[in-house]
């Protein structure tokens, strides 16, 4: 054993010693006794606050924040719309009137008589509920509307209450489903990888434990630190923890297997595996965490929250995989690898693998290989030039929920924005002047009477637009309204609700992309530079993951548009996809290049650099490819969710990880390292050209067998 690694080995041995391994398991049992109940409460901490999805400081956010100062301002509205192609009949009106009385009992509020559309083909009833209403009351409302409909009459629940019901219904029971799908995918891939009837269970146990711990931490942050959490973030947390956690397990177990061939004592083998492989795994996870935390610079609250939520998941599952997993492996012993049990003295396998052949092929003409690889990625990236971002309300779900159908019916038969007017809030004394300015704006159909706040200081003016609130024309009208009321003396007027919120969210997403993406690149570059003690290698690695990202985006858009029929990508896809693909892509490159550095440091000559690159490809190829396949498969599990945005994110990240695993990491990066030669490590000492080997301090190994 290397003298420099003795201290690290002793520290690592604390989790897998003959006695301490049992203490680790007992400690985890105590942790889980506390974590499990807290994790079960995460769903209750999900926010229903309308401001949670809005950008900090935007006009729509400010309007939403003062809503409770107005009578009924803390309530949401559901609109039940009835329609008949041949025109509303007396029987239809009687049904609507019966429902009106039932709705009043269900909601505990008065319900105004139904409005009739100008074409006589539709009726609309408005019903309000508390802003924190749960699914059951809304479901009763929808059931009442659809029960006992006269032949030929349709009824749909839309408005903010209808959207709330569809959103809650879309995630109902899916947390467990998503976890089962992710766990099932991981189990199948681990069975294929290890071909052992037992070993596959241990990484899965670590992932489940890490997931529960992460859920409990996120719950505490949401409950006591103001972290905003919703169903989308919960789903992302599940797949990220299972995917990344299994990757760390694969890398550690691969190293442990190698050490078992060199040590008779499994406790010592695990201690060495942790001492040599653990630091690089921690560095890789740390890079991912810091990259994710760059999202905290975003304007949108949900974007801000994704950073700490995802980072908490990475940290929790990392701790589980570096403590609980080693303890379980040493408790169970070598037989857990059956039927391929690694025995002391057998050494590493000597037969030529596919990764040896790939490395040899790349080494013959590395410049040709990296140019060809880059051109292939660039060809895929051309698809990104046609990307259309911004999913409209109609295409939020893969199916067509009741609220979407209802909104279409409402827009067809009533004034475009009548069912969901924008809300203009101003100082009470300037309300008349604001209303006057509103009436002169193109696209404004009706300015309703102002409503005073409870303290009489503010006025809210409902303003009906001529266009549907989900249309681009409505957003253009919002801009004209804001221009028109900006200079009304003493008004301090703000426009919110409906189209205004959609517009503000889109602009905040554009801001977040401009801020978070460069920040994440800078942070990852600095961390790579510190880890590899070089500048050229980090620059090349950053360039490869950026090219891989655009290739993934281009390929995904072609799939979305021409195969799945999605008209656009969700605004969150561009920034979420970038953060995940860049951080996770760099993650795999760290595993490869950290091993390259160790190999080259052991033989600091031109020949040593070439051999080090090729050996790194050989010893890391299998395990990193398995890890990439697991991560891609777990993200693809997001496709079980009915939201188009989650389907798009799962597909794009899965495609990107596969591209990075099989092309970037396996071919492009080795080719660049070979073509640049020792300059790859500039300006570190490894970049100095030498003709004969000299003493060099070996660095920690990541995976595979090391020199002894």
């Amino acid at each position: 054993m290397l003298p420099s690694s003795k201290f690290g080995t002793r520290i690592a041995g604390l989790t897998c010693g003959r006695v301490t391994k049992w203490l680790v398991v007992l400690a985890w049992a105590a942790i889980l006794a506390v974590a499990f109940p807290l994790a079960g409460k995460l769903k209750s901490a999900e926010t229903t606050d309308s401001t949670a999805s809005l950008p900090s400081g935007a006009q729509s956010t400010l309007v939403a924040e003062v809503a409770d100062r107005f009578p009924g301002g803390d309530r949401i509205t559901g609109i039940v719309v009835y329609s008949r192609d041949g025109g509303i009949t007396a029987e239809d009106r009687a049904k609507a009137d019966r429902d009106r009385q039932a709705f009043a009992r269900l909601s505990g509020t008065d319900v105004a008589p139904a409005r009739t559309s100008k074409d006589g083909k539709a009726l609309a009833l408005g019903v309000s509920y508390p802003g924190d209403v749960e699914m059951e009351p809304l479901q009763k409302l929808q059931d009442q509307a659809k029960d006992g409909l006269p032949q030929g009459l349709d009824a749909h629940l839309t408005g903010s209450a209808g959207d709330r019901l569809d959103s809650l219904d879309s995630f109902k029971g899916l947390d467990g489903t998503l976890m089962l799908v992710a766990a099932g995918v991981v189990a199948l891939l681990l069975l294929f990888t290890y071909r052992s009837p037992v070993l596959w269970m241990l990484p899965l146990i670590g992932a489940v434990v890490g997931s529960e711990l992460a859920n409990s931490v996120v719950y505490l942050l949401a409950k006591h630190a103001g972290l905003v959490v919703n169903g989308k973030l919960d789903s992302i947390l599940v797949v990220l923890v299972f995917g990344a956690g299994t990757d760390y397990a694969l890398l550690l177990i691969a190293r442990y297997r190698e050490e078992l061939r060199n040590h008779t004592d499994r406790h010592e083998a695990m201690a060495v595996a942790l001492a040599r492989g653990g630091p690089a795994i921690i560095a890789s996870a740390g890079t991912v965490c810091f990259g994710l935390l760059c999202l905290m610079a975003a304007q949108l609250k949900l974007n801000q929250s994704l950073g700490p939520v995802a980072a908490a998941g990475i940290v929790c599952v990392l701790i589980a995989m570096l403590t609980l997993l080693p303890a379980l492996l040493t408790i169970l012993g070598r037989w857990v690898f059956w039927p391929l049990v690694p025995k002391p003295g057998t050494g590493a396998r000597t037969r030529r693998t596919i990764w040896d052949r790939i490395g040899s092929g790349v080494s013959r003409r590395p410049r040709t290989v990296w140019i060809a690889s880059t051109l292939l990625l660039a060809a895929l990236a051309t698809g990104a030039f046609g990307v259309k971002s911004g999913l409209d309300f109609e295409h939020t779900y893969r199916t067509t929920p009741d609220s979407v159908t209802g909104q279409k019916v409402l827009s067809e038969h009533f004034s475009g924005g009548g069912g969901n007017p924008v809300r203009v809030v101003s100082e009470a004394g300037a309300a008349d002047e604001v209303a006057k300015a509103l009436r002169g704006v193109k696209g404004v159909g009706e300015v309703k009477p102002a409503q005073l706040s409870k303290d009489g200081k503010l006025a809210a003016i409902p303003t009906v637009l001529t266009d549907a609130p989900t249309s681009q024309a409505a957003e253009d009208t919002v801009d004209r309204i804001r221009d028109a009321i900006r200079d009304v003396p003493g008004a301090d007027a703000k426009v919110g609700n409906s189209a205004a919120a959609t517009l503000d969210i889109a602009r905040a997403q554009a801001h977040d992309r401009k801020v978070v993406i460069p920040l994440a690149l800078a942070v990852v570059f600095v961390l790579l530079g510190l880890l590899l003690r070089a500048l050229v290698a980090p620059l090349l690695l950053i360039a490869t993951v950026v090219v891989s990202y655009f290739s993934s985006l281009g390929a995904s858009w072609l799939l979305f548009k021409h195969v799945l029929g999605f008209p656009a990508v969700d605004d969150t896809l561009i920034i979420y996809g970038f953060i995940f693909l860049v951080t996770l892509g760099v993650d795999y490159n760290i595993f490869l290049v950290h091993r390259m550095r160790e190999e080259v440091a052991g033989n600091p000559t031109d020949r040593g650099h070439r051999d080090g690159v090729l050996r790194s490809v050989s010893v890391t190829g299998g395990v990193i490819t398995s890890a990439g396949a697991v991560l891609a498969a777990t993200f693809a599990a997001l496709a079980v969710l009915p939201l188009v945005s989650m389907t798009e994110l799962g597909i794009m990240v899965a495609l990107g990880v596969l591209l990075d695993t099989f092309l970037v990491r396996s071919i492009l990066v080795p080719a660049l390292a070979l073509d640049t030669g020792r300059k790859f490590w500039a300006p570190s000492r490894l970049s100095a050209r030498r003709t004969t080997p000299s003493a060099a301090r070996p660095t920690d190994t990541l995976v595979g067998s090391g020199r002894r």
Side-chain angles (χ1 to χ4, degrees), residues 71-142:
D74 57 349
R75 301 178 71 85
I76 62 173
T77 301
I79 301 174
V80 178
V81 56
Y82 306 86
S83 64
R84 182 187 291 274
D85 292 339
I88 295 297
T89 66
E91 186 181 9
D92 299 339
R93 294 182 188 280
K95 160 64 175 170
D97 191 59
R98 290 194 301 273
D99 284 350
R100 180 177 69 86
Q101 298 174 45
F103 295 163
R105 292 192 299 271
L106 290 171
S107 64
T109 60
D110 293 333
V111 178
R115 293 183 294 130
T116 306
S117 63
K118 291 182 179 179
D119 61 10
K121 296 181 179 181
L123 299 169
L125 282 170
V127 188
S128 72
Y129 277 92
D132 58 354
V133 64
E134 296 295 336
M135 183 175 174
E136 185 178 355
L138 298 178
Q139 187 64 63
K140 289 180 178 179
L141 177 69
Q142 186 184 67

Side-chain angles (χ1 to χ4, degrees), residues 260-510:
L260 285 173
R261 296 191 176 102
N262 297 284
H263 297 272
T264 56
D265 187 334
R266 66 181 186 275
H267 302 88
E268 184 179 359
M270 178 58 78
V272 173
L274 281 169
R276 292 179 176 272
I281 296 176
I282 292 171
S284 179
T287 302
V288 174
C289 287
F290 280 109
L292 289 168
L293 290 175
C294 290
L295 282 164
M296 295 179 71
Q299 283 186 345
L300 279 172
K301 294 179 182 179
L302 289 177
N303 287 355
Q304 294 172 1
S305 295
L306 176 60
V309 166
I314 292 291
V315 171
C316 289
V317 79
L318 175 70
I319 294 172
M321 292 306 181
L322 292 184
T323 57
L324 179 61
L325 179 62
L328 293 176
L329 284 167
T330 49
I331 286 172
L332 293 175
R334 295 174 186 267
W335 71 268
V336 78
F337 287 92
W338 185 87
L340 305 175
V341 179
K343 299 178 180 179
T346 57
R349 56 185 181 349
T350 57
R351 66 182 179 84
R352 188 172 171 82
T353 69
I354 186 174
W355 302 109
D356 295 317
R357 291 191 288 271
I358 288 174
S360 296
V362 170
S363 67
R364 293 190 188 99
R365 294 184 177 179
R367 183 167 300 177
T368 301
V369 169
W370 75 253
I371 290 175
S373 300
T374 303
L375 289 175
L376 175 58
L377 291 169
L380 291 174
T382 57
F385 290 113
V387 171
K388 179 182 178 183
S389 64
L391 281 171
D392 55 27
F393 181 66
E394 183 179 345
H395 295 93
T396 300
Y397 301 89
R398 294 209 310 270
T399 57
T400 304
D402 202 50
S403 60
V404 172
T405 303
Q407 181 59 52
K408 290 173 67 175
V409 173
L410 197 66
S411 299
E412 180 182 350
H413 296 289
F414 292 86
S415 176
N420 199 358
V422 296
R423 187 179 180 91
V424 180
V425 174
S426 71
E427 296 296 324
D432 290 342
E433 289 300 315
V434 172
K436 181 179 178 181
L438 289 170
R439 293 187 184 97
V441 176
K442 178 185 176 183
V444 172
E446 179 185 0
V447 179
K448 295 187 175 183
Q451 179 190 41
L452 291 179
S453 61
K454 298 171 187 176
D455 59 9
K457 294 181 179 181
L458 298 178
I461 307 171
T463 304
V464 179
L465 309 185
T466 57
D467 299 291
T470 57
S471 66
Q472 180 61 51
E475 294 178 16
D476 294 339
T477 300
V478 169
D479 274 334
R480 290 192 291 269
I481 290 175
R482 287 174 172 171
D483 290 339
I485 65 177
R486 181 180 296 115
D487 298 326
V488 175
D492 191 25
K494 303 290 188 294
V495 184
N497 199 27
S498 185
T502 302
L503 180 63
D504 288 341
I505 290 172
R507 287 178 176 167
Q509 288 285 10

Side-chain angles (χ1 to χ4, degrees), residues 160 229 249 251 253 343 377 390 445 459 520 528 539 642 654 676 680:
S160 53
V229 183
L251 294 161
I253 291 173
K343 299 178 180 179
L377 291 169
L528 282 175
L539 281 172
T676 55
F680 188 73

Side-chain angles (χ1 to χ4, degrees), residues 220-258:
L220 292 174
L221 291 174
K223 195 71 174 177
H224 303 291
L227 190 69
V228 177
V229 183
N230 68 357
K232 285 186 179 181
L233 299 193
D234 290 351
S235 300
I236 291 173
L237 181 63
V238 169
V239 298
L240 183 64
V241 166
F242 270 83
T246 306
D247 283 1
Y248 301 147
L250 284 165
L251 294 161
L252 179 62
I253 291 173
R255 182 57 204 248
Y256 176 50
R257 186 201 297 267
E258 294 296 332

Side-chain angles (χ1 to χ4, degrees), residues 148-192:
L149 285 169
Q151 184 70 30
L153 182 69
D154 293 321
H156 305 282
L157 174 62
T158 188
S160 53
D163 187 30
R164 169 77 60 82
L165 175 60
D166 288 336
S167 178
L168 293 172
D169 187 54
S170 67
F171 283 99
K172 182 181 178 182
L174 283 178
D175 286 346
T177 301
L178 183 60
M179 180 172 281
L180 287 174
V181 170
V185 166
V186 168
L188 287 174
L189 290 173
L190 289 175
L191 273 170
F192 177 79

